[in-house]
């Protein structure tokens, strides 16, 4: 029992997590995640093949001692050797190239040296055209039906089945990630190379489609069970980094958004959301049921010695009674624990004398400095949509005048002065989004296709990618969600589910306990990296498509919803989220580049169990925030999808996620709770006042949104199908108008001039003149023409 109490106290006082959200983790962390621990022996294999070849051609010298011209000449020789037909020879050459990309680590003394030479070599390899050669080899491997069919027949697939693919994808990943990351002191040549590579990857240069499309094809082929040997983790990491490189990360997105608002003559954004979120403080989490029961017992022991810390149950379902329900003298809002959380609260005046009484001595209150450090005001500027102002005026006119004026937000005749003031305040905070402008423009294009003319579509990387993804978009989305489900820690191993461990399981399964522990850590880490890559990839696609055109975003979002993304993410969070975020599934000694420079220490079961000393696992916290952001994106302003959150009982699951003391994660959880509070009932709101306060303090306010009261519930019937079908219709109209170039549109001009039609040159087959008399007989003379019918049709 004592142990349990300690655990609970620890969870009550969990520290703030010093986590900085960004596009990616540190450069070395991203490199190390490319390799599984079972791949470790291959580092020395790469080195051996390189040195064997290098010594034959460059006698008695090391790679670092060569001049740049000599290095180029040697890389050119490797490039020629890649074109041999013998698979084994080709693999050896590819391994030598991979060793160069890994930074000729045998000649280096420190990790910094490895990274320096890796960067130097990668730019050299790109300059020599290695990426294009690798792309051809990758396409060959993808289409290698023999390898696919033998993998399908195998009872157990291991690391050995994906050797060629892993080597090729590793080189490509190192090239994309190294060139993508800008370093201080990069020469103008390197900056030019970065821009060229970025354009190359995002343009339809490879078989008429962007590089990302080839990787998406690999994902769908793997998920359809046609190629179970594909190393999915490497494919997903490369796909994520390719899209991050070609489309841009979160800061580039913010800049693009600002630029697009300027183009559309919209007022600037009220604040920089990235900066606001970074400056937020975490709130202390609501207590769990066990903590509340423990407090209740302590309270019985020392009756009224001190008010309970928190009266909120994070596991409460909607009808569950609160343990403190009968204690009417106390109120949830007056909670001293709130002082710590940045949620304003005050000690109940009735209890002040109780706290001051000497027996028993109270725990010391927190120093007043914490009270002073509260941020002044709310973090977000409030927003109002034009629709909200219209709705407010409709209601006011009905009430005071008795009739309405439709979409008029300017006429205030007959309305009392307070309404004038309200409208003025609402208009001050009116926010027009890029999406609203795009929807309005699309409606105009649909209604007046002749007068509006052909729309000029800018060939942005996002536009090119969407066009490429469009024919098979649903397959891509379903495949990514299948992989996410297989990698989620809450998923049970099923015999029929896809095997995502093909590129982590060794040929020989472990014999000793130590080997088993090492493989167990490797498998868990492997799954975490897959979740990280998919969550980041989906979020990037949603954000870029939303900025490019709202209906592109809606198309992807609707496919996600139809493929059960909402319950899948809730299933992911329905676990002990604190233990997932603090998981220790990594062995620092085996991480690249540490493992290739330093001597390998003796690994023991104790050292593996201890794990690293980090307070949390960066990639898992990153994945959780990404998944919450995806859930927010696909449910925002969608009543039917918000109701899905309610139906799937997401509130208790999301409240447990508030235990993680990280401001950004809490913000996205609170946003998801805010949109459904009005549907959870008065009892839920009353029992969860601490969460309600946190929503008020951290989430942006929509001035006339009554999220905390739920007055309009009866007026909002829930028709999922009608809402989704209406949206689907708009998306299909958009896709048809913009991308279906073969449509026989009624607006296509028809040439009805006899002279010009007869004068057109028609290409006929070479042998036509031998048989044209038969053709005339069959197609013209023997066909009766109904002249009366033609006249009637006119």
């Amino acid at each position: 029992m004592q142990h349990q109490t300690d655990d609970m106290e620890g969870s009550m006082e969990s520290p703030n997590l010093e986590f900085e959200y960004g596009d990616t983790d540190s450069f070395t962390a991203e490199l190390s995640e490319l390799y599984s621990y079972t791949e470790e022996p291959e580092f020395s294999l790469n080195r051996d093949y390189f040195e064997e070849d290098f010594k034959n051609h460059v006698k008695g010298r090391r790679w670092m001692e060569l001049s740049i011209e000599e290095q180029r000449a040697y890389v050119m020789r490797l490039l020629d050797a890649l074109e041999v037909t013998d698979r084994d020879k080709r693999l050896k050459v590819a391994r030598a190239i991979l060793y160069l990309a890994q930074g000729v680590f045998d000649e280096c003394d420190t990790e910094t040296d490895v990274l320096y030479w890796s960067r130097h070599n990668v730019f050299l390899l790109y300059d020599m055209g290695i990426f294009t050669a690798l792309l051809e080899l990758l396409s060959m491997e993808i289409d290698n039906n023999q390898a696919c069919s033998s993998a399908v027949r195998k009872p157990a697939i291991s690391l050995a089945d994906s050797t060629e693919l892993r080597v090729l994808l590793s080189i490509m990943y190192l090239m994309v990630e190294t060139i993508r990351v800008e370093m201080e002191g990069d020469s103008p040549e390197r900056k030019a190379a970065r821009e060229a590579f970025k354009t190359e990857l995002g343009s339809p240069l490879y078989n008429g489609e962007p590089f990302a499309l080839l990787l998406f094809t690999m994902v769908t082929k793997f998920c359809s069970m046609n190629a179970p040997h594909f190393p999915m983790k490497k494919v997903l990491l490369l796909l994520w980094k390719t899209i991050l490189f070609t489309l841009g990360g979160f800061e580039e997105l913010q800049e693009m958004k600002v630029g697009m608002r300027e183009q559309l003559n919209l007022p600037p954004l009220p604040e920089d959301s990235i900066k606001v979120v970074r400056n937020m403080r975490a709130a202390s989490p609501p207590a769990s049921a066990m903590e509340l029961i423990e407090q209740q017992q302590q309270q019985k022991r020392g009756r009224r010695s001190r008010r309970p810390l928190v009266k909120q149950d994070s596991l409460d379902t909607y009808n569950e009674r609160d343990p403190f329900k009968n204690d009417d003298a106390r109120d949830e809002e007056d909670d001293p624990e709130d002082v710590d959380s940045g949620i304003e609260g005050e000690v109940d005046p009735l209890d002040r004398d109780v706290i001051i009484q000497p027996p028993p001595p109270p725990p010391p209150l927190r120093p007043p400095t914490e009270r002073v450090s509260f941020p002044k005001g709310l973090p977000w500027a409030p927003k109002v949509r034009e629709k909200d102002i219209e709705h407010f005026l409709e209601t006011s006119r009905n009430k005071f005048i008795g009739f309405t004026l439709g979409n008029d937000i300017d006429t205030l005749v007959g309305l009392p002065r307070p309404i004038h003031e309200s409208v003025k305040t609402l208009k001050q905070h009116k926010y027009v989004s890029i999406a609203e402008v795009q929807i309005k423009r699309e409606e105009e294009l649909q209604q007046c296709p002749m007068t509006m003319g052909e729309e000029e579509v800018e060939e942005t990387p996002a536009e090119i990618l969407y066009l490429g993804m469009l024919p098979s978009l649903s397959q891509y989305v379903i495949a990514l969600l299948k992989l996410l489900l297989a990698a989620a820690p809450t998923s049970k191993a099923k015999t029929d589910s896809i095997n995502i461990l093909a590129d982590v399981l060794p040929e020989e399964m472990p014999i000793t306990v130590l080997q088993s522990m090492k493989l167990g850590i490797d498998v868990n880490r492997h799954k975490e990296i897959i979740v990280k890559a998919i969550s980041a990839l989906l979020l990037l696609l949603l954000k870029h498509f939303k900025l490019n055109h709202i209906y592109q975003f809606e198309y992807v979002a609707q496919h996600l919803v139809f493929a059960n993304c909402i319950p899948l993410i809730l299933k992911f969070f329905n676990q002990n989220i604190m233990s997932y975020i603090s998981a220790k599934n990594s062995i620092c000694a085996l991480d690249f580049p540490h493992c290739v420079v330093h001597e390998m220490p003796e690994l023991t079961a104790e050292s593996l169990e201890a794990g690293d000393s980090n307070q949390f696992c960066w990639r898992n916290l990153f994945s959780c925030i990404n998944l919450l952001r995806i859930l927010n994106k696909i449910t925002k302003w969608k009543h039917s999808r918000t109701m899905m959150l309610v139906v799937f009982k997401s509130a208790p699951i999301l409240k447990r996620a508030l235990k993680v003391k990280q401001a950004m994660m809490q913000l996205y959880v609170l946003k998801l709770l805010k949109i459904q509070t009005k549907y959870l009932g008065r009892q839920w709101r009353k029992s969860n006042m601490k969460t309600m306060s946190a929503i008020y303090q951290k989430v942006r306010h929509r001035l006339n949104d009554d999220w905390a009261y739920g007055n309009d519930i009866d007026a909002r019937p829930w028709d999922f199908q009608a809402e989704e079908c209406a949206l689907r219709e708009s998306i299909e109209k958009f896709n048809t108008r913009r991308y279906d170039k073969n449509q026989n549109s009624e607006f296509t001009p028809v040439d009805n001039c006899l002279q010009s039609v007869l004068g057109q040159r028609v290409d006929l087959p070479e042998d036509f003149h031998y048989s044209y008399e038969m053709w005339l007989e069959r197609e013209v003379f023997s066909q009766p023409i109904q002249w009366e019918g033609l006249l009637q049709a006119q």
Side-chain angles (χ1 to χ4, degrees), residues 599-655:
E599 281 294 311
M600 189 59 62
E602 187 65 37
L603 290 176
T604 61
E606 289 75 28
S607 68
L608 289 183
E609 264 181 1
D612 55 28
S613 58
N614 289 340
Q615 189 189 8
F616 58 90
C617 173
W618 197 96
R619 71 173 156 263
N620 290 356
L621 192 42
F622 177 71
S623 303
C624 288
I625 292 174
N626 288 341
L627 290 170
L628 287 167
R629 292 183 79 183
I630 291 165
L631 202 49
N632 265 295
K633 284 235 166 292
I634 60 181
T635 52
K636 190 177 180 182
W637 301 122
K638 303 284 188 301
H639 178 240
S640 58
R641 295 176 193 175
T642 304
M643 292 307 293
M644 283 175 80
L645 290 176
V646 178
V647 169
F648 290 128
K649 292 190 166 40
S650 66
I653 295 169
L654 291 167
K655 270 186 62 189

Side-chain angles (χ1 to χ4, degrees), residues 72-114:
R72 291 172 76 89
Y74 181 71
V75 170
M76 184 57 83
R77 217 201 58 70
L78 288 177
L79 191 57
D80 292 341
L82 266 185
E83 294 181 12
V84 294
T85 48
D86 189 308
R87 270 173 75 87
D88 293 335
K89 282 182 183 171
R90 213 165 49 220
L91 178 61
K92 284 184 179 181
V93 176
R95 282 198 180 283
I97 293 170
L98 177 54
Y99 177 68
L100 281 175
Q102 285 169 340
V104 289
F105 48 79
D106 206 43
E107 300 178 26
C108 299
D109 299 322
T110 64
E111 291 178 35
T112 315
D113 289 349
V114 174

Side-chain angles (χ1 to χ4, degrees), residues 21 392 494 618:
Y21 184 80
F392 174 73
K494 289 187 189 148
W618 197 96

